[in-house]
Amino acid sequence: MTPRDLASQLQAHCGDLVGSLVEFRGEATLTVREARRIPEVCEYARTALDCDLLLDISSIDNYGEDPRWTIVYELYSLKHRAHLRLKTGVSEEQSELPTLTRVWPAANWHEREIYDMMGIRFSGHPDLRRILMWEGYPHFPLRKDFPLAGRTTDLPEVAFTEPAPMEGGPFVTAPGQAGAAEREPRARTNHP
Amino acid sequence: MKGKRELSYDSKIEGDVVVTRLEAAINWFRKHSIWPMPMGLACCAIELMGAGASRYDLARFGMEVMRFSPRQSDVMIVAGTVTYKMALVVKRLYEQMTEPKWVIAMGACASTGGMYRSYSVLQGVDRILPVDFYVAGCPPRPEALLEALMKLQDKVSNERVLATLKQAG
């Protein structure tokens, strides 16, 4: 089955729950209209469509729009060698959707990362803690309204943070005129 | 004397005695057995391992004994990106090292935060530790680290170690 076949089977089973198919360079993307029903859609994709791998879950901050959050699920079927992408929107007031850990155990750490970076909660998750930042860090650093340089925080005995000096950009460097041979220090300089 | 000038110490002439200053002798012992603590946090640690392996051979300087216990090491080589999550751990390890102790910030990240101008990376390990030498590079080649360690040897050989001991006592 191709990505298009997977998508059309999922559409046939779920009816109005999923939107129309978007295809781009052979990749199939479907939008799930109700975020709270994402587990049943994925359960069908895993069992009936053999999407046995959950490759990734990511989140998008559509800052200033509604719904603010988009959650993207990247599925793969080893049997059909085909990808399928599911998207769903979650409003800022809600900022919560059900976990997929009971469909794919791999969802556990992906969802923890989204909770850590974006502050979107996954109801029913067995262990919803921060995964990269430390417990007690008060911000969600991948949100669009969080400054790139960071903010001042202090959690005694655990960690502190300070804003980084941006100096006009995230990373500024000017290329030199010299070629690599003159620029780089080498152990041996007697090259031909 | 066979018409050849002896510039070095000759035990046949001077006997089994070498006269020197106590401070010079202690510093001489110290500078040839500086045991590093490999605080390897990112890719600079790979170059640090390269410096310790056979091609660059830190053993030539008496520094091949990488100690993973801070209590047995003399110089902490901070090799890599120090995140805020790791910062206080690095500081605590430094505090557990016994005197005398030195710190080398290896590479751009340990020196200044490098290209990580971000919310999660400490902008230079000198914000929490007293750094003796900064090594430029991303990552620095093993020769650059060796240069810093040789400079550290020079620094050690000129330390006023007896004055320090009197202060402590």
Side-chain angles (χ1 to χ4, degrees):
Chain A
M1 278 202 284
T2 62
R4 184 182 296 177
D5 299 333
L6 289 178
S8 55
Q9 284 211 14
L10 196 67
Q11 277 175 317
H13 179 262
C14 296
D16 284 346
L17 187 53
V18 296
S20 57
L21 170 66
V22 178
E23 267 200 303
F24 179 73
R25 291 184 176 168
E27 298 178 2
T29 305
L30 288 175
T31 305
V32 180
R33 291 210 170 92
E34 290 178 63
R36 63 183 177 83
R37 293 180 67 185
I38 197 89
E40 60 182 277
V41 177
C42 289
E43 182 65 38
Y44 179 79
R46 186 180 70 85
T47 51
L49 304 179
D50 297 304
C51 289
D52 36 14
L53 278 185
L54 173 70
L55 292 182
D56 199 8
I57 311 177
S58 51
S59 55
I60 302 167
D61 182 359
N62 311 298
Y63 186 55
E65 293 170 28
D66 190 60
R68 181 171 176 181
W69 316 116
T70 305
I71 319 289
V72 186
Y73 299 89
E74 197 74 43
L75 317 184
Y76 184 69
S77 169
L78 285 169
K79 184 179 169 192
H80 304 300
R81 296 184 187 175
H83 290 260
L84 181 63
R85 185 180 300 121
L86 299 178
K87 283 185 179 181
T88 189
V90 178
S91 69
E92 187 177 359
E93 304 81 64
Q94 199 172 12
S95 290
E96 183 157 336
L97 72 166
T99 178
L100 283 189
T101 46
R102 278 177 278 283
V103 185
W104 293 283
N108 190 320
W109 282 17
H110 291 311
E111 290 176 350
R112 279 179 66 187
E113 188 186 0
I114 291 173
Y115 166 67
D116 190 359
M117 294 286 118
M118 286 285 201
I120 302 167
R121 296 176 304 281
F122 291 86
S123 54
H125 192 286
D127 185 27
L128 196 64
R129 287 178 296 130
R130 285 183 179 270
I131 192 168
L132 296 167
M133 307 302 281
W134 48 94
E135 281 300 314
Y137 182 72
H139 305 294
F140 300 109
L142 246 52
R143 288 186 174 185
K144 285 273 175 69
D145 50 359
F146 183 85
L148 190 61
R151 290 202 167 111
T152 304
T153 67
D154 192 16
L155 196 60
E157 303 291 311
V158 180
F160 67 96
T161 59
E162 289 164 0
M166 297 312 282
E167 306 293 341
F171 184 59
V172 185
T173 181
Q177 295 298 314
E182 303 114 74
R183 212 167 55 224
E184 296 261 316
R186 297 285 169 190
R188 282 172 295 168
T189 49
N190 55 348
H191 299 293
Chain B
M1 305 287 281
K2 299 155 195 165
K4 185 176 144 195
R5 275 190 72 196
E6 291 281 348
L7 289 176
S8 60
Y9 168 73
D10 188 340
S11 62
K12 292 195 185 78
I13 297 166
E14 299 172 48
D16 298 331
V17 178
V18 178
V19 181
T20 182
R21 288 179 299 118
L22 176 60
E23 202 160 57
I26 291 174
N27 284 339
W28 184 71
F29 300 148
R30 277 186 177 172
K31 78 180 243 193
H32 291 293
S33 72
I34 298 174
W35 288 7
M37 159 140 197
M39 194 70 238
L41 298 170
C43 37
C44 278
I46 304 296
E47 297 298 302
L48 175 61
M49 288 180 237
S54 54
R55 184 180 172 103
Y56 294 97
D57 195 8
L58 270 180
R60 293 178 293 161
F61 307 96
M63 296 168 183
E64 76 277 20
V65 193
M66 298 272 179
R67 290 280 108 172
F68 291 87
S69 162
R71 292 174 179 80
Q72 300 170 348
S73 45
D74 301 307
V75 55
M76 177 186 264
I77 301 175
V78 184
T81 317
V82 187
T83 57
Y84 284 118
K85 199 175 183 178
M86 195 67 188
L88 294 189
V89 179
V90 174
K91 191 178 180 194
R92 186 166 307 144
L93 286 168
Y94 175 78
E95 284 164 355
Q96 287 173 349
M97 286 166 68
T98 50
E99 295 277 357
K101 55 188 173 184
W102 300 276
V103 175
I104 292 176
M106 179 182 179
C109 293
S111 303
T112 68
M115 65 176 190
Y116 299 105
R117 295 251 181 268
S118 86
Y119 64 94
S120 60
V121 175
L122 183 70
Q123 300 295 305
V125 75
D126 53 4
R127 296 192 175 214
I128 51 171
L129 303 183
V131 175
D132 294 283
F133 293 101
Y134 300 86
V135 188
C138 186
R141 290 180 58 85
E143 295 96 327
L145 181 64
L146 292 183
E147 176 73 16
L149 287 166
M150 283 154 68
K151 281 207 183 331
L152 177 62
Q153 285 189 322
D154 291 346
K155 183 173 184 173
V156 171
S157 61
N158 291 318
E159 290 220 328
R160 301 292 308 278
V161 50
L162 291 184
T164 321
L165 288 180
K166 275 173 194 159
Q167 275 175 10

